[in-house]
Amino acid sequence: MPPFRVLVVCTGNVFRSPLAECLLRHQLLEHRQVIHVSSAGTRAVAGMPMAAVVDSFLLGRGVQPCGMGSCRLTKEMVENADLVLGAATEHREAAVRLSPVRALSRAFTFREFARLVRSEDAAGVVDPAARFVTLVQGAAARRGAVSTRTGDIDVNDPLGASPSQVHECLVQIEEIVERIAAAMRTR
């Protein structure tokens, strides 16, 4: 099976998406040969470094910061992704606008996917890439059955927020990534 590609999207690709990318990559480290994680921003300025607070947060958790600097979301990125995780509804919608056929059943917000994914959907599936494919299909099938308001599935942009609000956002993303990674584990 070819590698499974996860694309994480936010606005500037300096706070939310690089944090989720690095945490997810760290959580799925044992599957790094078959699960590829990257990130982009809908309005990113190419080459901007990850926010220092994100870098510090990752190091405080024993996670090596990853990525080569920010990059702007493209149609090609969306079409090459097997799962697109947006920080907010606007990011999910941006991916779907770029590639409606490819992204419609594969694009979710972080929180939406974490709520919809169920490890039992992939019971007995051991191959990590095949497992992720099955989990995405299960979450897509469940969409609409779980009532959510837009504010309930968005992770707000911490840019310009107070230090405590920024920390709260970082912890929220960490918890979301842990739920997604937990569904991936076969044991």
Side-chain angles (χ1 to χ4, degrees), residues 1-6 31-36 80 82 102 127-133:
M1 205 168 179
F4 186 91
R5 299 184 190 290
V6 180
H31 305 301
R32 69 182 171 276
Q33 303 302 325
V34 292
I35 308 293
H36 298 172
N80 287 329
D82 299 299
R102 178 80 175 147
D127 177 83
R131 186 169 177 79
F132 235 137
V133 167

Side-chain angles (χ1 to χ4, degrees), residues 81-178:
D82 299 299
L83 172 62
V84 178
L85 296 172
T89 307
E90 68 185 273
H91 306 116
R92 179 189 66 202
E93 291 171 353
V96 172
R97 278 192 306 276
L98 285 171
S99 181
V101 173
R102 178 80 175 147
L104 194 57
S105 64
R106 293 178 172 90
F108 302 83
T109 70
F110 300 163
R111 291 176 73 185
E112 177 186 30
F113 189 72
R115 288 180 184 167
L116 295 174
V117 69
R118 303 282 185 278
S119 58
E120 58 268 15
D121 287 341
V125 180
V126 179
D127 177 83
R131 186 169 177 79
F132 235 137
V133 167
T134 305
L135 292 171
V136 171
Q137 290 169 345
R142 206 170 278 108
R143 193 186 332 235
V146 176
S147 176
T148 54
R149 294 184 312 272
T150 299
D152 290 341
I153 60 172
D154 291 350
V155 173
N156 294 325
D157 192 343
L159 190 61
S162 71
S164 65
Q165 290 170 316
V166 170
H167 183 75
E168 185 179 305
C169 175
L170 301 176
V171 169
Q172 181 182 44
I173 292 170
E174 180 181 42
E175 290 169 354
I176 291 165
V177 167
E178 177 52 42

Side-chain angles (χ1 to χ4, degrees), residues 1-126:
M1 205 168 179
F4 186 91
R5 299 184 190 290
V6 180
L7 175 63
V8 188
V9 181
C10 72
T11 305
N13 195 213
V14 294
F15 273 98
R16 295 170 290 177
S17 59
L19 174 63
E21 173 191 2
C22 294
L23 289 172
L24 192 56
R25 193 178 283 175
H26 179 77
Q27 288 285 333
L28 302 174
L29 192 60
E30 67 186 276
H31 305 301
R32 69 182 171 276
Q33 303 302 325
V34 292
I35 308 293
H36 298 172
V37 185
S38 62
S39 66
T42 56
R43 289 186 271 166
V45 175
M48 295 293 293
M50 176 185 320
V53 68
V54 174
D55 192 67
S56 296
F57 183 85
L58 288 167
L59 291 171
R61 300 295 199 268
V63 177
Q64 273 306 115
C66 56
M68 305 286 284
S70 61
C71 64
R72 190 173 289 246
L73 181 67
T74 66
K75 180 179 181 177
E76 181 181 19
M77 289 175 175
V78 174
E79 289 182 349
N80 287 329
D82 299 299
L83 172 62
V84 178
L85 296 172
T89 307
E90 68 185 273
H91 306 116
R92 179 189 66 202
E93 291 171 353
V96 172
R97 278 192 306 276
L98 285 171
S99 181
V101 173
R102 178 80 175 147
L104 194 57
S105 64
R106 293 178 172 90
F108 302 83
T109 70
F110 300 163
R111 291 176 73 185
E112 177 186 30
F113 189 72
R115 288 180 184 167
L116 295 174
V117 69
R118 303 282 185 278
S119 58
E120 58 268 15
D121 287 341
V125 180
V126 179

